[in-house]
Amino acid sequence: MISRRDFLQASMAASAIVGASGFGNWARLAAGQRLTQDDLLKFDTFGNVSLIHITDIHGQLKPIYFREPEINIGVGAAKGHVPHITGAAFRKLYGISDGSPEAYALTYDDFTSLAKTYGRMGGLDRVATVVNAIRAERPDALLLDGGDTWHGSYTCYHTAGQDMVNVMNALKPDAMTFHWEFTLGSERVQEIVDGLPFAALGQNIFDKEWDEPAETFAPYKMFESGGVKIAVIGQAFPYMPIANPGWMFPEYSFGIREEHMQETVDEVRAKGAELVVLLSHNGFDVDKKMAGRVKGIDVILSGHTHDALPEPVLVGETIIIASGSNGKFVSRVDLDVRNGKMMGFRHKLIPVFADVIAADKGMTALIDEQRAPYMDQLSEVIGRTDSLLYRRGNFNGTWDDLICNALIDEREADIALSPGFRWGPSLVPGQDITREDLFNAVSMNYPAAYRSEMTGKTLKLILEDVADNLFNPDPYYQQGGDMVRVGGMGYTIDINKPIGARLSNMTLLKTGEAIDPNKTYVVAGWASVNQGTKGPAIWDVVESYIKRKGTVSVDPNKSVKVVGA
Amino acid sequence: MNLSRRQALAFGGAVVTVSLIPIDFAKAASDATMADIKSFTGGASVAEGGIELTTPEIAENGNTVPISVSAPGAVSIMILADGNPNPGVATFHFSDMAEPSAATRIRLAGTQNVIAVAKMADGSFTQTSRSVKVTIGGCGG
């Protein structure tokens, strides 16, 4: 693996771009100093353009805990490169000391004890303070939302996204793109987009019947900021009708549409754009591949895969910014654009430590107003956890282990399947589990917990299919979720094998017997993309289980053996 | 001016390390596909390049996959779905007046290569292919 210094030097030499990251500003605070808001926001304004990026908020209005992944394996060209570096290797790469605020914010180890020291992160009232501070220094900074905004909480579910729309509108973004928003159904999406006071973008959102760009969503918008003509192009999640229920938005087709992306870049350049920004929900590896193939993009603001990187990644002359998820981070990117060319950048991944950055009072009031009608429901304690509950990671997380245990118990199943979503905040040991916490982990618009019979052969087919969506060596064939989580069954996976050959040693845990391809097993799961899926809502299943247990604890999951990482 | 996909690929080639899924026709194509190509070309050798095939990387619905093809100077273009029981999907014939490009929707029985073979005005042949994945989906995000 090349070192970070080599990487940056090589990139700089190749691209003639000079750049700097503000990461060191907060990295130096480790020496027993107290974090202050001024330190977190300190930034020497640079050049003539500022971009503010936030993405994958997943409905999180209030501060949360969010543990970053321990297992995040890269395949093919991505192997050994960020974001597929975690824990100690990640800290070494960026010069982060153990136990420091940035170790807590960006890596997984010691999460429980560091959470006690540094507290929750995020909260859109804190994000508002960050955005306002940047705007005070650069009034025409562009605020760009990478999507997965109108999804992921109790209030978001019960208001069909209206809580997030109201709060984000107050933050005054300039543009956004989309993913989970579409699971509100195309009618509701249309209704919200019609009233949005900012641009709804997606060059890859097509009318399905005509295979032409959809009228509701512009491919790009031109801005003028700091005397610079800026084109912001949107890229929605390419595989929405595959990874999510296409029947909820049957009018639309998506896809990567690389050729159309190139045409769009060429079109905005021809219209005089001096800076081309891609607001993307592709996922990091897809963005990296796209940056090397589509010519003329200066900045990619990358979302979907929830990676938080303290420095931009350079591909040719394109910089890729990854800004994390759940409101934990805001990226500020200052650019020097002269004579139609990006000459340099300064960047900072701003960690939103909720106890350090003051809440914007107006925004707190607006957030509380959205929550007020639901406070009784939100705050009801349904149980308590003895274990750290988290989801992020390629193979399993304790939240999903808990959900799988609930599915097996409550639905009397042999095997449980829980989707490899990347959203869902963490809970620390000793914490009460409120209904709000549960919804943060399972809230969605297709929550039916199914119970069905599957043969061993079908189970393998499903697992092989999902594994190929994660470990196909070509990023354009990846969908950006983690591996489906499995309860009641163990398996071995060789990630470097082709589809159909990755899984082996599938074992029914309760008997220790090998899964028989021809035998039928009772499988419980949730979030099926199939229309007409029957069953109780997943939150009712898990709530019933937690209430029955009172206090839950989750044993470490050792049933998945990974080969070839 | 719009860059063509091929030009974009050529430009991108210098910096990108991720390649498309490699296709070796001699090994990858089925016997039925090879037979269809042979009856189209009369056994003439087939070059690569000069033909653009656009497909989704992953099909949203394997029963109706939008594809488009163009080959400047072609008089006809044959489309094959290598993994279908009957690989031959369509053959487009172009008059002198028509721009040699076409778009259609095809059914794919599973993940497979879609192949386009063009017959040029001078009687030569050229081909290209793209891999289209058909997935059961459902766990992204």
Side-chain angles (χ1 to χ4, degrees):
Chain A
M1 193 183 78
I2 58 169
S3 76
R4 156 172 163 263
R5 192 165 50 93
D6 290 341
F7 174 69
L8 281 177
Q9 276 180 348
S11 306
M12 304 295 174
S15 67
I17 289 172
V18 289
S21 168
F23 176 65
N25 291 342
W26 58 289
R28 277 195 289 275
L29 289 169
Q33 248 175 298
R34 208 180 137 73
L35 280 172
T36 68
Q37 178 169 317
D38 286 348
D39 291 323
L40 294 178
L41 297 180
K42 185 176 160 46
F43 194 107
D44 293 327
T45 302
F46 174 80
N48 44 2
V49 171
S50 293
L51 307 176
I52 310 169
H53 183 224
I54 188 161
T55 190
D56 296 86
I57 300 169
H58 284 285
Q60 298 306 315
L61 294 167
K62 289 285 183 183
I64 43 85
Y65 297 113
F66 189 92
R67 177 191 184 267
E68 299 296 332
E70 175 178 356
I71 310 292
N72 186 0
I73 303 169
V75 287
K79 187 173 182 174
H81 296 285
V82 292
H84 304 285
I85 294 175
T86 63
F90 186 99
R91 294 194 293 278
K92 187 168 177 237
L93 181 69
Y94 291 107
I96 297 170
S97 45
D98 294 357
S100 62
E102 53 276 27
Y104 166 64
L106 293 164
T107 59
Y108 70 92
D109 338 42
D110 270 334
F111 188 83
T112 299
S113 65
L114 293 178
K116 286 190 182 108
T117 307
Y118 297 113
R120 289 176 167 84
M121 297 187 70
L124 288 187
D125 47 2
R126 276 77 169 179
V127 168
T129 300
V130 175
V131 170
N132 291 340
I134 299 170
R135 283 181 175 147
E137 292 173 8
R138 182 93 80 189
D140 57 356
L142 294 182
L143 172 60
L144 303 170
D145 174 6
D148 274 357
T149 309
W150 313 335
H151 156 266
S153 76
Y154 187 92
T155 52
C156 194
Y157 175 75
H158 283 278
T159 63
Q162 195 61 46
D163 63 332
M164 293 304 295
V165 172
N166 294 345
V167 172
M168 288 305 288
N169 283 358
L171 214 50
K172 295 187 171 54
D174 292 285
M176 89 179 270
T177 192
F178 305 91
H179 172 191
W180 277 85
E181 286 76 10
F182 276 82
T183 66
L184 291 167
S186 32
E187 225 172 280
R188 176 64 176 146
V189 170
Q190 183 76 47
E191 182 186 30
I192 298 176
V193 168
D194 284 346
L196 276 189
F198 52 85
L201 303 179
Q203 72 85 23
N204 61 336
I205 308 178
F206 272 52
D207 178 284
K208 192 170 176 177
E209 191 175 349
W210 296 99
D211 204 31
E212 286 172 353
E215 282 178 7
T216 306
F217 303 90
Y220 63 88
K221 184 171 177 185
M222 303 290 283
F223 295 91
E224 187 149 337
S225 178
V228 176
K229 268 185 111 168
I230 303 170
V232 176
I233 301 172
Q235 173 84 342
F237 174 49
Y239 294 127
M240 237 178 288
I242 300 162
N244 302 92
W247 58 267
M248 295 179 128
F249 39 91
E251 302 88 344
Y252 296 106
S253 170
F254 299 84
I256 291 174
R257 298 185 188 265
E258 185 185 83
E259 294 88 346
H260 192 255
M261 179 67 80
Q262 185 66 68
E263 286 167 18
T264 306
V265 173
D266 295 343
E267 182 181 326
V268 299
R269 288 283 183 195
K271 280 188 170 179
E274 297 165 273
L275 180 77
V276 176
V277 177
L278 176 57
L279 179 61
S280 168
H281 208 95
N282 269 335
F284 194 86
D285 292 343
V286 177
D287 280 325
K288 211 171 146 185
K289 177 170 174 178
M290 185 173 272
R293 292 166 59 93
V294 174
K295 299 292 106 182
I297 301 171
D298 296 302
V299 181
I300 299 181
L301 302 173
S302 181
H304 182 49
T305 40
H306 294 192
D307 312 293
L309 296 179
E311 291 178 357
V313 167
L314 286 88
V315 176
E317 297 191 359
T318 305
I319 62 171
I320 309 176
I321 310 291
S323 306
S325 68
N326 290 270
K328 260 182 94 170
F329 301 98
V330 175
S331 287
R332 174 177 178 178
V333 189
D334 279 18
L335 301 162
D336 180 16
V337 184
R338 272 177 285 157
N339 307 319
K341 202 164 161 55
M342 186 172 88
M343 304 301 286
F345 66 87
R346 184 170 289 158
H347 158 267
K348 185 172 184 175
L349 177 72
I350 300 167
V352 184
F353 285 100
D355 297 337
V356 178
I357 291 176
D360 178 273
K361 287 198 173 62
M363 192 61 96
T364 307
L366 181 62
I367 290 169
D368 290 345
E369 194 185 299
Q370 314 304 313
R371 293 162 55 83
Y374 306 98
M375 274 322 287
D376 289 351
Q377 285 291 314
L378 288 168
S379 58
E380 186 180 329
V381 174
I382 58 175
R384 191 179 151 88
T385 180
D386 270 349
S387 307
L388 172 65
L389 297 182
Y390 63 90
R391 175 173 281 147
R392 226 17 270 287
N394 283 162
F395 292 100
N396 42 45
T398 45
W399 249 125
D400 287 304
D401 291 336
L402 174 65
I403 291 166
C404 285
N405 292 345
L407 283 166
I408 288 173
D409 250 43
E410 300 285 319
R411 305 286 283 153
E412 294 174 355
D414 301 319
I415 292 165
L417 299 177
S418 189
F421 297 132
R422 297 190 172 201
W423 43 267
S426 312
L427 296 180
V428 296
Q431 218 179 320
D432 284 338
I433 305 172
T434 64
R435 185 167 293 110
E436 173 167 31
D437 296 327
L438 174 59
F439 267 75
N440 281 347
V442 296
S443 176
M444 56 155 43
N445 297 310
Y446 47 107
Y450 62 85
R451 182 179 188 276
S452 63
E453 294 191 337
M454 291 182 196
T455 60
K457 197 177 160 189
T458 301
L459 273 166
K460 181 163 193 295
L461 190 76
I462 291 171
L463 265 61
E464 289 281 359
D465 194 82
V466 180
D468 196 62
N469 292 337
L470 182 56
F471 295 120
N472 191 305
D474 185 337
Y476 278 13
Y477 292 83
Q478 297 170 5
Q479 292 176 18
D482 282 315
M483 186 65 186
V484 59
R485 286 87 205 297
V486 184
M489 189 183 87
Y491 63 89
T492 300
I493 179 167
D494 185 340
I495 60 168
N496 298 313
K497 291 266 171 50
I499 187 167
R502 288 190 179 93
L503 273 285
S504 62
N505 296 331
M506 287 166 61
T507 307
L508 189 65
L509 295 179
K510 70 179 177 190
T511 62
E513 287 169 8
I515 296 287
D516 181 342
N518 300 312
K519 208 177 147 186
T520 297
Y521 300 89
V522 176
V523 179
W526 61 293
S528 167
V529 298
N530 299 324
Q531 192 165 11
T533 301
K534 298 274 188 295
I538 185 65
W539 44 80
D540 290 333
V541 175
V542 181
E543 178 169 323
S544 159
Y545 177 81
I546 294 173
K547 276 184 168 161
R548 199 151 50 75
K549 294 274 171 186
T551 298
V552 294
S553 60
V554 182
D555 298 328
N557 187 331
K558 291 176 180 159
S559 58
V560 180
K561 194 172 167 235
V562 182
V563 178
Chain B
M1 184 203 84
N2 288 345
L3 272 178
S4 75
R5 177 185 149 69
R6 193 162 51 88
Q7 284 167 318
L9 288 179
F11 288 169
V15 285
V16 75
T17 52
V18 181
S19 59
L20 286 171
I21 291 176
I23 306 297
D24 183 335
F25 282 99
K27 286 179 192 157
S30 70
D31 291 347
T33 301
M34 295 307 282
D36 281 356
I37 293 175
K38 198 175 170 191
S39 71
F40 182 63
T41 62
S45 67
V46 182
E48 303 244 348
I51 177 168
E52 273 185 53
L53 175 64
T54 305
T55 68
E57 284 77 5
I58 305 179
E60 292 178 357
N61 177 356
N63 290 322
T64 164
V65 181
I67 63 153
S68 61
V69 65
S70 70
V75 292
S76 56
I77 300 176
M78 183 188 212
I79 305 289
L80 303 111
D82 188 31
N84 281 2
N86 298 308
V89 172
T91 303
F92 301 101
H93 299 280
F94 306 101
S95 69
D96 290 349
M97 306 297 288
E99 189 191 335
S101 69
T104 186
R105 290 169 198 258
I106 64 175
R107 181 166 190 271
L108 298 178
T111 298
Q112 58 182 285
N113 293 326
V114 175
I115 300 168
V117 186
K119 181 180 184 182
M120 311 308 277
D122 66 0
S124 67
F125 292 89
T126 186
Q127 69 182 8
T128 190
S129 95
R130 295 211 23 181
S131 174
V132 180
K133 187 173 162 182
V134 178
T135 169
I136 52 182
C139 292

